[in-house]
Amino acid sequence: MDIPAPVLELANLSKTYRGGVAAVRDVSLSVRAGEVYGFLGPNGAGKSTTIRMLIGLIAPTSGEARLFGSDLRSDPSVLRRVGSLVDGGAFYPFLSGRRNLEVLAKTHGAGADRIDMLLEQVGLAKDSGRKVKGYSTGMRQRLGVAAALLNDPEIVILDEPVNGLDVAGIQEMRALIRSLAVEHGKTVFLSSHLLHEVQQVCDRVAIISKGAIVRESTIADLLRQDDGLRVEALIVRATRAEAPEVVRRLVGVGAELFRLVPEQRNLEEVFLSITQEEPGDA
Amino acid sequence: MLDALSAELLKLRRHKATWFLVWLYPILFTIIFTLSTAVGMAGLEPPDRQNLASWLAQTAIPWRIPGNGLGRYMMAAFIALVFAGEYGWNTWKLIVPHRSRSSLIAAKYGAVILLFLAAFVLSAFISLLGTWADDVLTGDIVPAGIGAASLLRVHGQAALSALSPFLVTLGYASLAAVLTRSTLAGLVIALVAVTAEQLVLAFGPALAMKAPAIAWVLYQALPGYHLDNLAAWTQQGAGLHTPFPGGGVVAWSWPASLAAVAAWLLILIGGTFAAFRRQDIN
C-alpha cells in the first residue's frame, strides 16, 4: 500500500524566547494526507508554541515547517490551504456569530457562501444572530471549528478543541473531527492534553514533553508496548493459562488475594510513563 | 487588500467606540445647529450679519478638530482601540494566518482614515447646511458670493491643515498600540506624545532661558512646530516665525516642514509595520 505524501512536516523546529527559555526543541514530525494526527502533551509542553509556529503566528528560532512541500517562511501563502482553531473562544465579542464569520470570510478572501452550511454543520444556525459575548464556551469552540473550515482547507489544525466542552459537546466535537477526515477527506492535526480524546479520534500520535518529541507512533503500537498482569501491588509476568497456578501459589504462601486482573494499560498510563521520563532518556 | 479593508470596516462599524469616537462629530454638530437654530427662531439672540469670509470659516469649523488637542486625544483613543483591539480580543490568531501582516496593518490604516474622513466630511456638510438653515430660519442675512468654488477652497484648505496632525496622531497611537499590545497603554503613550509635542511648542522659547540648546533642538525636532507651520502656510500663506532668546528665529519653509512631518510619519507608520511583521503572537 502506498503511503500518502506528507502534507505537514516539521524538521528540527525550535523556539527559544528572550531570556533563553526553550519552549520547543528540535521537533520533527510528519503528517500524511487524510490522517487524524494527535499532538499530545501536558500543559506547558510546547504544543501551542509548535502550532503557533506552524500557522505563522510565531517565528521559529531554527528549523523548518513545511506545508504541502513549501517552506512556510518562504511561501506563507500556503497557509490559505490551512484552517486553524487556536484559542477557540477568541472572537469579536461585539459581533454576532454570523457576523464574525462574515468578517473572517472577507479577511480570508474566502467568500461568504459557505457560512450557512458551516453554521448548520456545527449546530449554531439558530444562534448565529446572537452576539458572541453571550455564547457558552462550547458554542465558541464550535464557532471556532466553523471559522477553521471557512476557506475549505485541506488540513485543519485544532489546538485543544474540546477545552471547556461538556460530555455531549466533547462527543459532538469528536464526531465532527472524525467526519472531517472520513467524510470530507481532510487531514486533521489535533493537539490535546486529553488522552482519551486523542485515543478516540487519532490514527497516529506524537507525544511532546518539555518541548521535545518523546514518542511518535500509531495509537495501537503505543498501547501494545507494555502488557502484563497486575495483582494489587504485585505484578506477575505470566500467561493467561498460568493464572490458576499463580493464584494457588499466592494463596499457598498466605497472601490475601482479592482479585487477579490482566493489566490493560490505557493511553493515559503509557503517556504518563513516557512524559515522566526526561526527553533525553526517550 | 480590499477584502481586508472591507472586513475591517464591517468589524468597526458595529463597535460602540466607532459611535462614541467617530460618529460623535456629525451627531454633535447636528445637535449644536439644531439647538442654535431653535434659540435663534425663539428670538433669544439678535440677528447676525457675517461677512463672506467668516461665514465660510464657520462652515469649516469641523476641520479644526484634528488639529485641536482634545480632538487629537479622542482620535488617539479610537486608533489605539483599532490597532490594539485584536490583542485584547485575542483575534489576531484568527486572521494572521490568512493574510500578509502588512496588508492587515494597511487595512487598519485604511479603515481609520476612511472612517474619520467620512465623519469630518459629514460634519462639514452638516455645518454648512446648519449655518445656512440657521440664517434662513432665523432671519439672518446669508452673505452674497457663496459658491462651489469658494466653499471648496475654504474647506479644502481646512482639510489640508487637518491632515498632518491627524496623520501624526495616527502614527503615535498605532505604533504605541502595536508595541504595547494594549489599547489603554497605547492611548496613554499617544496622549503623552501629543501633550509633550504641544508643551514644547507652547513653552519652547521659555524653556530656552534654562536650556537653550535642548529647547532649540526639541522645538524643531518634534512634529508640533512643523504641524503648526504647515497649517499657517496653508491658511495664511506665510509660515511661523518664532523668536528664541539669544536672537535665534525658527522659521521653516513649508517644503522643509513637510519633509520633517513626512520623516516623522515614516518613522511612526513604518515602525508600526516593522514591529508587527516581527512580532510573535502568543
Side-chain angles (χ1 to χ4, degrees), chain B residues 100-173:
Chain B
S100 77
R101 293 189 181 209
S102 301
S103 70
L104 290 171
I105 288 292
K108 289 200 178 289
Y109 278 120
V112 168
I113 290 169
L114 278 178
L115 283 171
F116 276 117
L117 183 67
F120 288 121
V121 166
L122 191 58
S123 300
F125 179 73
I126 290 166
S127 182
L128 173 65
L129 198 68
T131 305
W132 176 82
D134 182 74
D135 286 351
V136 169
L137 293 172
T138 60
D140 291 345
I141 294 165
V142 180
I146 297 168
S150 58
L151 281 170
L152 278 177
R153 180 178 49 78
V154 169
H155 282 256
Q157 281 179 345
L160 205 58
S161 300
L163 184 63
S164 46
F166 166 70
L167 289 177
V168 170
T169 309
L170 179 60
Y172 286 147

Side-chain angles (χ1 to χ4, degrees), chain A residues 15 17 52 55-59 79 82 87 90-95 99 103-104 106-109 151, chain B residues 3-4 6-7 10-11 13-15 86 89-91 93-99 101 104 279-282:
Chain A
K15 178 67 184 181
Y17 286 107
R52 282 160 171 72
I55 57 174
L57 296 175
I58 292 179
L79 283 171
V82 176
D87 285 344
F91 282 97
Y92 302 105
F94 50 93
L95 298 178
R99 189 71 72 184
V103 167
L104 296 177
K106 276 189 188 294
T107 310
H108 298 183
N151 55 336
Chain B
D3 281 341
S6 166
L10 184 62
K11 190 191 310 173
R13 78 177 191 214
R14 299 283 168 152
H15 199 282
E86 308 280 356
W89 304 314
N90 219 358
T91 40
K93 290 165 193 156
L94 288 171
I95 55 179
V96 162
H98 299 276
R99 280 274 164 196
R101 293 189 181 209
L104 290 171
Q279 200 167 60
D280 281 344
I281 295 167
N282 289 302

Side-chain angles (χ1 to χ4, degrees), chain A:
Chain A
M1 194 174 83
D2 289 341
I3 296 174
V7 292
L8 186 165
E9 290 173 283
L10 304 182
N12 304 112
L13 201 66
S14 298
K15 178 67 184 181
T16 303
Y17 286 107
R18 260 183 256 169
V21 179
V24 173
R25 291 178 287 158
D26 283 328
V27 165
S28 297
L29 55 84
S30 76
V31 180
R32 298 172 202 135
E35 74 177 338
V36 180
Y37 190 96
F39 194 47
L40 192 56
N43 289 334
K47 301 186 301 292
S48 293
T49 303
T50 305
I51 283 186
R52 282 160 171 72
M53 287 192 277
L54 198 50
I55 57 174
L57 296 175
I58 292 179
T61 309
S62 62
E64 200 175 61
R66 298 180 74 81
L67 282 158
F68 308 102
S70 298
D71 180 9
L72 195 54
R73 274 193 279 197
S74 58
D75 182 15
S77 67
V78 75
L79 283 171
R80 291 179 181 231
R81 297 164 68 183
V82 176
S84 57
L85 166 66
V86 181
D87 285 344
F91 282 97
Y92 302 105
F94 50 93
L95 298 178
S96 68
R98 173 183 294 279
R99 189 71 72 184
N100 263 283
L101 293 185
E102 285 171 5
V103 167
L104 296 177
K106 276 189 188 294
T107 310
H108 298 183
D113 50 328
R114 285 169 54 80
I115 289 176
D116 284 332
M117 182 269 290
L118 288 170
L119 285 169
E120 198 69 51
Q121 191 178 343
V122 298
L124 283 176
K126 271 195 279 184
D127 295 299
S128 65
R130 281 173 52 197
K131 284 189 179 171
V132 164
K133 65 182 172 191
Y135 277 19
S136 67
T137 307
M139 291 164 82
R140 286 172 188 233
Q141 289 283 42
R142 283 185 279 150
L143 188 63
V145 172
L149 298 174
L150 262 178
N151 55 336
D152 198 13
E154 291 163 65
I155 178 168
V156 184
I157 296 172
L158 305 171
D159 188 14
E160 304 277 7
V162 297
N163 262 9
L165 298 187
D166 57 14
V167 175
I170 289 173
Q171 284 179 343
E172 283 171 18
M173 187 64 78
R174 191 187 297 154
L176 183 62
I177 292 168
R178 280 301 328 170
S179 79
L180 288 176
V182 175
E183 292 166 30
H184 303 281
K186 300 196 186 303
T187 307
V188 180
F189 184 84
L190 164 75
S191 101
S192 181
H193 66 278
L194 300 175
L195 314 172
H196 189 58
E197 283 318 303
V198 172
Q199 187 174 4
Q200 293 274 315
V201 299
C202 294
D203 305 310
R204 285 199 304 141
V205 62
I207 297 178
I208 184 169
S209 176
K210 297 171 187 168
I213 299 284
V214 290
R215 287 282 196 288
E216 189 188 18
S217 169
T218 63
I219 297 284
D221 283 349
L222 208 55
L223 293 174
R224 261 200 299 271
Q225 279 180 358
D226 300 284
D227 278 348
L229 290 170
R230 183 168 63 194
V231 183
E232 294 296 330
L234 179 65
I235 296 175
V236 178
R237 298 273 175 207
T239 63
R240 281 180 183 274
E242 291 165 338
E245 178 60 22
V246 169
V247 172
R248 264 194 299 277
R249 286 194 185 188
L250 286 172
V251 171
V253 296
E256 290 182 341
L257 183 63
F258 296 102
R259 60 184 182 144
L260 182 71
V261 289
E263 187 186 53
Q264 191 90 52
R265 296 188 76 183
N266 62 19
L267 185 57
E268 188 167 16
E269 289 166 308
V270 174
F271 167 82
L272 287 174
S273 71
I274 289 170
T275 55
Q276 280 161 5
E277 295 167 10
E278 284 297 317
D281 301 335

